[in-house]
Amino acid sequence: MPDWLWQLDEIDLDGRERPRLESISLSIAAGTTAVIGASGAGKTSLLNLLVGFERPSRGRLDRSPPDDPNRLPLFWVPPGGGLWTGLSVRDH
């Protein structure tokens, strides 16, 4: 099994007025990865691609299956509210 969970190569995700993601290439390894950025930067669009809610307009997205095929190797922590202040992102 590869040491990455997702491999993105020149991914585009079209939007109505402009691309939501454009020419994204990256490898996401197993472990803790944070996706941060300003409003409208494409964080939700990227997460939607990773979990399969959307498909890229162009490019290649490869997934390395998790050990448990019934569980995604992804956790979401909301930016505000619903968090316990004494816990880290990993602990949530």
Side-chain angles (χ1 to χ4, degrees):
M1 185 163 101
D3 60 351
W4 49 265
L5 297 174
W6 290 280
Q7 186 79 35
L8 291 79
D9 186 30
E10 293 295 316
I11 293 288
D12 288 353
L13 184 61
D14 291 339
R16 289 185 197 156
E17 298 177 20
R18 61 183 172 87
R20 291 185 285 154
L21 296 174
E22 191 171 23
S23 299
I24 303 296
S25 294
L26 66 110
S27 178
I28 301 174
T32 302
T33 300
V35 179
I36 58 174
S39 179
K43 300 174 300 291
T44 300
S45 297
L46 174 63
L47 294 173
N48 284 340
L49 285 173
L50 296 179
V51 300
F53 291 159
E54 296 190 67
R55 296 193 186 279
S57 306
R58 283 171 291 289
R60 181 181 171 132
L61 171 62
D62 293 319
R63 292 178 181 86
S64 174
D67 292 336
D68 180 354
N70 296 316
R71 183 174 176 162
L72 289 173
L74 176 74
F75 299 91
W76 178 73
V77 178
L83 300 178
W84 292 276
T85 56
L87 297 178
S88 68
V89 170
R90 182 186 303 267
D91 292 334
H92 275 94

